[in-house]
Amino acid sequence: HTLCTMSLTTPIDLLKISLDNQIIVKTKGDRQILGKLEAFDRHLNLVLSDCKETYTQLQIDSDEVKVQEREFPMLFVRGDSVILMRPQNLRL
């Protein structure tokens, strides 16, 4: 299915067609996660694999903002921390 041919009526529909595909998730705390969507539930809890998390970190001593990255083989993202989720290769 592609986004052009499938009718999306609920947020869950977008998650269903995104299973086994790369998604981008923005969370509270100014974090962004890129990973393959393995599973989700009605609370929008997400299980992602092959993840790369990008976040900013303020260095208190120098007031410098550093962009940090780290990788996880598997990650659980709690639904109430999700601000935005989209397929990585969104084509409308």
Side-chain angles (χ1 to χ4, degrees):
H1 292 217
T2 66
L3 290 177
C4 294
T5 61
M6 184 173 189
S7 174
L8 300 176
T9 58
T10 69
I12 297 295
D13 292 338
L14 183 59
L15 287 170
K16 287 177 184 176
I17 65 171
S18 298
L19 272 173
D20 296 322
N21 291 299
Q22 293 285 317
I23 64 169
I24 296 171
V25 180
K26 291 196 176 197
T27 65
K28 295 177 183 177
D30 196 27
R31 295 174 183 265
Q32 179 173 299
I33 304 163
L34 170 66
K36 180 179 171 187
L37 181 61
E38 298 289 341
F40 65 91
D41 66 15
R42 64 187 178 122
H43 304 288
L44 300 183
N45 294 318
L46 309 172
V47 176
L48 305 172
S49 64
D50 301 321
C51 304
K52 181 165 73 172
E53 178 186 37
T54 304
Y55 60 99
T56 54
Q57 190 171 38
L58 177 63
Q59 302 297 318
I60 296 173
D61 296 340
S62 64
D63 289 335
E64 180 182 331
V65 175
K66 293 177 90 175
V67 175
Q68 303 283 327
E69 287 187 352
R70 57 187 178 175
E71 295 183 4
F72 300 95
M74 191 70 69
L75 192 64
F76 171 84
V77 180
R78 188 171 166 169
D80 67 352
S81 69
V82 174
I83 296 171
L84 176 142
M85 186 284 298
R86 74 170 179 87
Q88 181 187 21
N89 297 318
L90 181 63
R91 286 181 175 58
L92 296 174

